[in-house]
Amino acid sequence: MVMKHYPPEFRAEAVALYRSRPGVTIKSVADDLGVNHETLRNWIRLEDAQRTGAPAATTASASAPVSPEDENAALRRRIRELEEERDILRKAAKYFGGRDALVNRFQFVDDHQRHHGVKRLCQVIGLARSSYYHWKTTAPDRAARAADDARLAARIRVIHRDSAGTYGVPRITAELRDTGDPVNHKRVARVMRGIGLAGLRLRRRHRTTLADPAAAKAPDLLGRDFTADTPNTRYVGDITYLPIADGTFLYLATVMDLCSRRLAGWAVADHMRTDLVLDALHAAERTRGSLAGAIFHSDHGAQYGARAFADACHAAGVTRSMGAVGSSADNAAAESLNASFKRETLQGAQNWANETWLPQFVATRRCSAR
């Protein structure tokens, strides 16, 4: 191999580097420094000889002067290496503008490895060859995951469109699970970000419920635990107003199953009398066939405290439950259903044009799983 001319300082630093790394070979250090391993071995021998005062056992090539022709050949070889490195970096520049720089580097090596070789490309762009080969061998698995994500994205688009663009990650996840796809909500969130979909989020509106001091009270059997392991065991209900364009109001009473987060019963009327909540309870009873053994939780609204409603619950085998007076958090699941229904259907508007389409839309709503 043609020897280069190295200054004494470089030789001393090379020997010091070898001695500072116990367990490494001369060849590995020489490769890191870009010198011939026999040259480095001679430098080490020479320093050992200088330390002990013994003559150095060096090869002729290490002590012989380097001819100008050899110097020029080494320079030309180095120039070719630099030109190749420049060419590689120019080609790589367009790969590094994307979001995932590491994947782009892998792809660059894969696209140009026939011309420059994997080893040389990895050296220039600072990539471990083992990482590239791992990326290469796992390509089929990534392709399968991408195809599965594309299938999931198509289903998410359908659910999102059917909800008029209102459903977010929790409710889309619930819809997918209802249809037999046990998908994780984090995966749904990732896919939705990738296809640019999100649920509707608008400013919340608040209202208060006036309790009837004379009405019979029921204990709080939920304690803000708005979950259920099986359907038809725990329900929550509430009343909300629906503003119509002609200046009038309709009122919606709901009965939601805490297991499925779907409406089991509901009623719409132009009044807030006890008949409204009775109709919603009877609708849930018709939907489920029987409510015997279930708990129905509500606020302290006068309609839910009425004797007629208590009698209807008793006849249906339902145990009543009530939160604290003036605490919306004690009936948060029902409050969330009604609030999200109005935000998502109105989408910033002040009222509905008419009431003719409300029943069909209400029947399809699912409460956010919070």
Side-chain angles (χ1 to χ4, degrees):
M1 179 177 179
V2 177
M3 298 299 298
K4 302 179 183 179
H5 175 69
Y6 298 97
E9 295 83 0
F10 179 82
R11 297 184 184 186
E13 291 177 357
V15 174
L17 178 62
Y18 168 74
R19 296 191 188 283
S20 67
R21 298 165 64 181
V24 300
T25 63
I26 293 177
K27 185 176 185 305
S28 65
V29 175
D31 290 341
D32 290 341
L33 296 174
V35 301
N36 184 275
H37 65 278
E38 286 299 330
T39 301
L40 178 58
R41 190 187 307 277
N42 288 333
W43 293 347
I44 296 171
R45 289 172 179 170
L46 181 60
E47 188 188 59
D48 290 341
Q50 290 174 348
R51 286 182 177 182
T52 60
T58 61
T59 62
S61 61
S63 58
V66 180
S67 66
E69 291 79 6
D70 293 340
E71 291 275 2
N72 290 336
L75 288 173
R76 286 193 294 271
R77 185 172 62 254
R78 182 55 180 162
I79 289 172
R80 287 195 299 271
E81 291 175 354
L82 292 175
E83 288 177 343
E84 182 187 32
E85 183 174 329
R86 180 191 62 188
D87 183 43
I88 291 173
L89 292 175
R90 282 179 175 175
K91 294 176 181 178
K94 65 180 181 180
Y95 283 78
F96 299 154
R99 191 173 72 177
D100 196 331
L102 183 59
V103 171
N104 292 340
R105 288 174 183 239
F106 290 148
Q107 191 61 55
F108 169 72
V109 173
D110 195 57
D111 291 345
H112 297 85
Q113 51 96 11
R114 289 189 178 182
H115 185 263
H116 297 285
V118 172
K119 181 179 180 180
R120 179 60 174 156
L121 290 169
C122 290
Q123 287 176 342
V124 173
I125 66 174
L127 192 66
R129 277 185 290 167
S130 60
S131 299
Y132 164 74
Y133 287 122
H134 176 75
W135 175 83
K136 185 75 172 175
T137 56
T138 55
D141 294 335
R142 291 194 306 277
R145 285 195 298 270
D148 199 38
D149 282 349
R151 176 195 61 81
L152 180 62
R155 297 188 62 191
I156 289 174
R157 283 192 175 97
V158 172
I159 296 172
H160 191 261
R161 184 186 65 240
D162 291 345
S163 72
T166 60
Y167 277 13
V169 172
R171 282 182 283 181
I172 287 182
T173 302
E175 290 284 349
L176 290 169
R177 290 174 178 174
D178 275 358
T179 57
D181 192 346
V183 64
N184 185 276
H185 70 279
K186 294 181 179 179
R187 185 183 176 201
V188 173
R190 174 176 58 81
V191 173
M192 289 184 67
R193 284 195 303 269
I195 60 179
L197 293 183
L200 180 68
R201 293 185 179 182
L202 296 176
R203 181 175 61 86
R204 295 174 182 266
R205 296 177 181 176
H206 303 276
R207 72 178 188 83
T208 59
T209 298
L210 297 178
D212 182 359
K217 304 296 189 292
D220 186 349
L221 302 179
L222 299 189
R224 299 188 182 181
D225 178 15
F226 302 110
T227 60
D229 295 330
T230 56
N232 201 26
T233 57
R234 285 182 161 195
Y235 292 90
V236 292
D238 194 18
I239 302 174
T240 190
Y241 68 93
L242 308 175
I244 309 301
D246 61 5
T248 61
F249 289 92
L250 294 179
Y251 299 93
L252 169 67
T254 56
V255 179
M256 183 181 70
D257 191 320
L258 287 178
C259 179
S260 64
R261 296 279 172 159
R262 286 197 179 278
L263 286 179
W266 57 273
V268 175
D270 59 359
H271 60 81
M272 291 182 63
R273 296 189 295 272
T274 305
D275 290 343
L276 178 63
V277 295
L278 286 173
D279 290 343
L281 181 68
H282 293 325
E285 193 173 15
R286 289 192 299 272
T287 300
R288 293 300 166 87
S290 173
L291 300 179
I295 294 174
F296 179 82
H297 184 82
S298 67
D299 56 27
H300 278 269
Q303 299 84 355
Y304 295 110
R307 184 64 187 177
F309 186 75
D311 291 342
C313 288
H314 179 74
V318 173
T319 302
R320 289 192 303 153
S321 171
M322 289 183 176
V325 177
S327 175
S328 61
D330 284 353
N331 199 23
E335 296 273 0
S336 175
L337 171 66
N338 291 336
S340 63
F341 164 70
K342 291 198 290 185
R343 289 198 312 272
E344 294 171 0
T345 55
L346 288 173
Q347 299 192 17
Q350 297 299 314
N351 48 55
W352 283 272
N354 55 66
E355 70 276 13
T356 57
W357 62 280
L358 282 172
Q360 180 181 0
F361 197 90
V362 172
T364 64
R365 307 311 292 166
R366 178 196 290 274
C367 179
S368 177
R370 298 190 302 164

